[in-house]
């Protein structure tokens, strides 16, 4: 997603919202480290909280989180919302970068 932000540049409005799947480990320092390692640039928001606080968001957006071999297995759903907050595109997994960039560019024109 950091690469998508970089490719699109400031000419295409895009705000990333990341929903944590590992709230116990996602401290502000860990989030900053992850964001830097993956090239995330502002504006982005990182939704964090307790498992019980996040459970409703996970359910509403189809995010699955399961323990797996010393870590977590989780879904990688990506949603694109328009400027009014309406769901316009849903990817069940991380798509080709060009697909994501194309859809974001189209949504920016609406």
């Amino acid at each position: 997603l950091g690469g998508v932000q970089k490719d699109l540049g400031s000419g295409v409005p895009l705000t990333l919202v990341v929903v944590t799947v590992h709230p116990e480990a996602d401290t502000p320092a860990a989030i900053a480290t992850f964001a830097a390692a993956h090239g995330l640039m502002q504006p982005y928001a990182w939704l964090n909280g307790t498992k019980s606080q996040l459970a409703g968001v996970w359910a509403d957006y189809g995010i699955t989180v399961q323990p797996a071999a010393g870590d977590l297995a989780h879904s990688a759903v990506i949603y694109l919302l328009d400027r009014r907050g309406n769901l316009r595109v849903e990817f069940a997994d991380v798509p080709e970068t060009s697909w994501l960039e194309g859809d974001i560019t189209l949504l920016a024109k609406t």
Side-chain angles (χ1 to χ4, degrees):
L1 294 174
V4 169
Q5 286 179 305
K6 182 180 177 195
D7 290 350
L8 293 176
S10 62
V12 178
L14 172 64
T15 300
L16 298 177
V17 178
V18 178
V19 178
T20 188
V21 294
H22 204 300
E24 302 84 9
D26 281 347
T27 63
I31 291 167
T33 298
F34 180 93
H38 291 86
L40 297 184
M41 301 176 292
Q42 291 295 340
Y44 74 86
W46 197 288
L47 182 61
N48 204 354
T50 65
K51 285 182 181 180
S52 62
Q53 290 171 322
L54 292 164
V57 176
W58 291 344
D60 288 348
Y61 286 92
I63 300 168
T64 58
V65 181
Q66 306 213 348
D71 199 4
L72 293 174
H74 61 83
S75 56
V77 181
I78 296 177
Y79 296 101
L80 299 181
L81 308 178
D82 65 19
R83 294 172 196 242
R84 293 173 295 285
N86 298 311
L87 175 62
R88 300 292 297 272
V89 180
E90 176 181 347
F91 294 101
D93 202 353
V94 179
E96 293 290 326
T97 302
S98 62
W99 300 354
L100 197 51
E101 291 173 0
D103 286 343
I104 292 168
T105 300
L106 286 173
L107 282 174
K109 294 176 182 178
T110 62

